[in-house]
Amino acid sequence: MNTDYKKTLNLPETDFPMRANLAKREPGFLEFWKERDIFGKMLKNREGAPSFVLHDGPPYANGHIHIGTAFNKILKDFIPKFKAMKGYYAPYVPGWDTHGLPIELHVLKTLKVNKDTVDPVFLREKCTEYALQFRDVQREEFIRLGVLGDWENPYMTLKPQYEAAQLGAFAELVKKGLVYKGQKPVYWCIDCQTALAAAEIEYWDESSPSIFVAYSLPGAGEIHPSLSGQDVNVIVWTTTPWTLPASMAVAMGGDHEYSFVRSGEKVYLFAKNLRESVEKETGLSFGEEILTVRGRELEGKKAVHPFYPDREILILLADYVLLDTGTGCVHTAPGHGVEDYESGVKYGIEVYNPVDDKGFFRQGTGLVDGLSLKEGSKKILETLTESGRLLGHGAISHSYPHCWRCKKPVIFRSTDQWFVSVSDFRDEALRCIEENVRWIPEWGKERIYNMVRDRSDWCISRQRIWGVPIPAFYCDDCGKPVLTEDRILAVQKHVEKEGCSAWWSKTPEDLLGELCFCPHCGGKHLTKEKDIMDVWFDSGSSHAAVLKVRPELKWPADMYLEGSDQHRGWFQTSLLTSVGMYGRPPYEQVLTHGFIVDGDGKKMSKSLGNVVAPQEVINEYGADILRLWVASTDYRNDIRISQGIIKNLSESYRRIRNTARYLLANLKGFDPEHHAVPVEKMTEMDRWILQKLNGVIERANEAYDDYEFHVPTFAIHQFCVNELSSFYLDSSKDRMYADGTDSLSRRSGQTAMWLVLSAVIRMLAPVLSFTAEEVWQEMRKIDAKLPESIFLSDWPAPFAVADGKKLEEKWAKVLSVRAAVSRVLEQARSAGIIGHSLDARVEVERKGAPEAADLFTDEDLRVFSIVSGFRWVERIDDMAVVRDDEETGLRIGVDKARGEKCPRCWQYTEEGDENGLCPRCSEVLSA
């Protein structure tokens, strides 16, 4: 009668499911974290410990999250989780940017009203409702990603406390004399009817007119007698014909050579080096060169405007005149360009802007009165053609600024605006960039340094309603602006109680009380400023409104983390407000990540159909797969995502999950308190696996500290595949299943597996948060003394393995032998000599691996190779298969095992008892 020995084996058993089913299982863990207040307990656990503060850059509360915002939030989430487990007090306060044009325009469109006629307080109420609605939508979507933080108490730029703190920051800059009102050319969006900051500009290729215009030079005879009595014209080049009504000067390069060249009855002036290209673009045929001079010799000469004959046009010098295109003679309109403006100021030229807020020429402009810019350009070209002054007309494709919101081209126009005088503290800001911040990656330093070095003063006024008002007043008696620290602080008190709508609902007398007078003339009649602050000033003040206000946070923050576009956005505006106020940056480190592209490296767009929505990935695969994707990327560059990439990561995840499941299954009946074996008493194979684990812990530690998140996940995956699945777990099956339940060999193996599982799953917790918690809760069934959540546990430390490095070196030799044996076993299996490896006996010639033969016994190699017999021999004589392994040079023989198959462990034995059991199994069953 055959006996069923299966029940006598310690077969693996666990409730931990093989199928992850993450999309359905993850919400349960979200509920667990919320009900148990795990984030609050994480903070309480570390009270009094050194803190690490990652300050959240606020996403805009408009619409659902996309794959880029999901990536950003997950990447951030890795850091406080890791830091908390490492022993830091690591609060994470999420935030939202809530003011600004997109929300205001959406609400205006929904209400079907105009901003100039709607009650501003009513409009602001509706904007608040809209922002809070999408705050809630995005909050739930961020939480679904597995991000832990203070979601019940986020910071929001629309909160009265935040707005008041922002006004306090503004007052500090005013006190230091860093805010002024002036007329300068600023980016202006005709469609949105507001000024824009540099951070609100996107550059796209645009096709623009390329025209060559003749400006008469009537006093040319004063330059040289040979030009007397000649019809001399400067050839001016421009790509913005609509700015010609504001043309006040022609700029030339002081060291460039300029030629006076005859063409028919006329003489033309342009840069000598550009003769060939000008001839080609204009179709003119140039003859003799009458005269060549340097640009500096023409400074101060006067040309005549091509269609305003009464306007003299000054020739001036400028460093920005290049000879890569055009004519070297640049049309200059101080009212429509920053460089033009600076030249105008230098030479005392009028800053003339004939264009209104809506993109129409003002009455009194002359030729183009009341026309739109497009209509005006057409009229100008017609007039120049009729007068013969349009010498060439083509098109040029170049990078041109566009509005970040409506995506339409913007213009430069000179208007009265409020500015932060960056020029007054630029050098200090540059020094801070160089000396006070760690930039990750390193190239971020040069990028933001160049942007700050080359930027102009910061235009902070916007002609909108939904935002924080610029708390300035105007005296009705003397007309001067009134902006003082004490008056801002008076307004601040009202805002702190009622929010910024108090600015619109109250009179100047209500807001200022006894300060309601003009400090310039003593007049008592003040009018409120209508402009609001740039929303980048809102978010750029978060260090003052959040870090300095929230008691659990600190200033400066340890880290700011956003996409690379924020070098010109939040990173920069935060730096400028902080340096302006306090003389140092608001952050110690700045980490930058790239943009999300599809699997082919193309930008995502609905029209291409390559958009990957985070909600779709979560619904199909689960948030942990999305988190693994974030961790697996090199975020320094653009990050690729596609269905293929996600599927491949799912396979990697499956390997990690199955390894955890197998480890759990082998821990059946294990009680760490009673069964754990001290490391020094473990079997050598168990000590070896702990030593290999030490290497993973050290690499993970270093990588997390350096924010190299792809390294730990890769190292752990490789550890699961190579050391664990391919060798250790496979070679341990026999002792785990068939040795005595309480034998040292089995308890040693269980102890090692417990320690491996505990360390690996804690190292994965910041990344695979849901799965790590799921495994941890299974582990708590084994050891109820474990912390309530994996996020309340400590980061694993390396184990004290005696002579660990020597142990690794020793085992590297036997693993090489085992790999060679496995290759020959496969050949024997293909030849039909064996089925399972336990059907085999193996011989290896000692001369091929004398060190391994001295270090490991025949029995060791039998166990490691999972065969029924192993012998080191001097020479292989009679084996069914004999092969020379190409990789190691070992000569290996394989044949059928001798004896009978043990019905319990399936190893072949020549010493079976009356039931056919091998000596080991017989002893275990008789114990």
Side-chain angles (χ1 to χ4, degrees), residues 447-464:
R447 179 175 165 85
I448 192 169
Y449 184 94
N450 292 341
M451 287 179 170
V452 173
R453 180 195 63 198
D454 298 337
R455 71 162 295 146
S456 57
D457 284 349
W458 179 6
C459 175
I460 59 166
S461 46
R462 296 292 178 273
Q463 292 66 47
R464 307 304 304 188

Side-chain angles (χ1 to χ4, degrees), residues 404-553:
W404 69 286
R405 192 208 65 82
C406 68
K407 311 303 181 187
K408 294 182 179 178
V410 300
I411 65 172
F412 271 105
R413 69 187 280 268
S414 182
T415 58
D416 285 330
Q417 302 288 342
W418 290 98
F419 294 87
V420 170
S421 183
V422 176
S423 56
D424 283 351
F425 58 93
R426 186 193 317 278
D427 291 343
E428 193 172 6
L430 294 174
R431 180 188 58 76
C432 289
I433 291 169
E434 288 268 68
E435 299 176 5
N436 298 129
V437 183
R438 177 190 176 196
W439 301 92
I440 308 165
E442 178 69 22
W443 54 258
K445 178 195 291 187
E446 182 179 5
R447 179 175 165 85
I448 192 169
Y449 184 94
N450 292 341
M451 287 179 170
V452 173
R453 180 195 63 198
D454 298 337
R455 71 162 295 146
S456 57
D457 284 349
W458 179 6
C459 175
I460 59 166
S461 46
R462 296 292 178 273
Q463 292 66 47
R464 307 304 304 188
I465 295 171
W466 177 230
V468 175
I470 293 178
F473 299 84
Y474 297 92
C475 177
D476 295 342
D477 299 316
C478 69
K480 292 182 178 180
V482 176
L483 182 66
T484 61
E485 181 194 11
D486 55 354
R487 288 171 176 80
I488 297 171
L489 296 179
V491 173
Q492 182 191 41
K493 291 178 181 177
H494 295 276
V495 169
E496 197 165 19
K497 293 176 183 177
E498 306 169 47
C500 280
S501 289
W503 179 260
W504 282 270
S505 65
K506 293 180 180 292
T507 65
E509 291 78 11
D510 295 333
L511 293 167
L512 296 179
E514 62 184 20
L515 290 174
C516 189
F517 66 91
C518 174
H520 307 294
C521 71
K524 300 286 187 181
H525 306 101
L526 300 184
T527 300
K528 293 178 291 185
E529 171 64 82
K530 293 181 179 179
D531 290 354
I532 62 170
M533 293 187 200
D534 174 13
V535 291
W536 287 104
F537 195 94
D538 289 21
S539 58
S541 304
S542 64
H543 62 89
V546 182
L547 295 178
K548 279 185 169 285
V549 173
R550 300 273 296 236
E552 72 272 34
L553 304 180

Side-chain angles (χ1 to χ4, degrees), residues 7 28 48 77 81 96 101-102 186 279 393 410 457 558 633 649 680 722-723 813-814 860:
K7 293 179 180 178
D77 187 50
K81 283 177 176 172
W96 273 273
L101 200 56
V186 295
E279 199 167 30
H393 182 198
V410 300
D457 284 349
D558 291 284
T633 63
L649 287 168
E680 65 273 11
N722 298 330
E723 282 79 13
K813 297 178 176 66
V814 77
D860 289 335

Side-chain angles (χ1 to χ4, degrees), residues 619-779:
N619 291 339
E620 184 173 354
Y621 297 98
D624 260 358
I625 302 302
L626 204 59
R627 295 178 69 90
L628 184 58
W629 163 68
V630 174
S632 69
T633 63
D634 179 1
Y635 58 75
R636 289 167 171 75
N637 304 306
D638 284 347
I639 302 114
R640 298 190 179 204
I641 188 171
S642 66
Q643 281 294 332
I645 290 170
I646 293 296
K647 285 181 180 177
N648 289 338
L649 287 168
S650 296
E651 287 303 305
S652 298
Y653 169 83
R654 186 177 58 80
R655 178 58 66 96
I656 292 171
R657 183 183 181 86
N658 286 348
T659 301
R661 182 175 185 272
Y662 186 75
L663 289 168
L664 279 168
N666 276 288
L667 292 168
K668 179 188 175 185
F670 178 70
D671 180 348
E673 188 174 352
H674 297 103
H675 300 142
V677 176
V679 173
E680 65 273 11
K681 293 184 179 180
M682 285 181 175
T683 68
E684 188 169 289
M685 184 161 72
D686 294 328
R687 284 187 283 118
W688 168 80
I689 197 64
L690 291 185
Q691 177 60 26
K692 297 300 290 185
L693 176 63
N694 282 347
V696 177
I697 292 172
E698 288 165 5
R699 284 198 298 278
N701 256 332
E702 184 178 346
Y704 272 114
D705 278 333
D706 288 338
Y707 313 110
E708 299 272 4
F709 303 113
H710 62 286
V711 173
T713 50
F714 178 77
I716 290 169
H717 179 262
Q718 293 299 99
F719 179 65
C720 288
V721 171
N722 298 330
E723 282 79 13
L724 288 177
S725 298
S726 296
F727 172 60
Y728 177 77
L729 296 179
D730 212 19
S731 296
S732 294
K733 282 179 180 177
D734 180 67
R735 62 169 171 151
M736 299 304 293
Y737 298 177
D739 281 7
T741 300
D742 287 318
S743 63
L744 175 63
S745 60
R746 186 168 179 276
R747 291 305 190 196
S748 174
Q750 283 188 311
T751 304
M753 291 182 188
W754 173 257
L755 296 176
V756 166
L757 178 63
S758 175
V760 165
I761 214 64
R762 281 181 286 160
M763 288 187 287
L764 285 171
V767 175
L768 297 178
S769 296
F770 293 98
T771 302
E773 190 69 85
E774 185 183 3
V775 172
W776 190 258
Q777 296 308 319
E778 287 297 317
M779 292 174 67

Side-chain angles (χ1 to χ4, degrees), residues 9 353 636 768 806 838 863 904:
L9 297 171
N353 166 33
R636 289 167 171 75
L768 297 178
K806 291 181 180 178
L838 286 173
V863 172
R904 182 171 180 268

Side-chain angles (χ1 to χ4, degrees), residues 230-231 233 235 260-270 275 279 282-290 391:
Q230 305 280 350
D231 185 0
N233 297 268
I235 302 181
F260 291 87
V261 180
R262 190 176 300 284
S263 178
E265 299 297 317
K266 298 179 182 292
V267 174
Y268 294 106
L269 171 64
F270 52 85
R275 173 171 176 155
E279 199 167 30
T282 61
L284 295 171
S285 179
F286 293 139
E288 76 170 295
E289 186 177 289
I290 300 172
L391 305 180

Side-chain angles (χ1 to χ4, degrees), residues 315-331:
I315 295 178
L316 52 81
L317 304 182
D319 295 336
Y320 54 79
V321 178
L322 304 176
L323 300 182
D324 55 347
T325 188
T327 66
C329 307
V330 180
H331 143 63

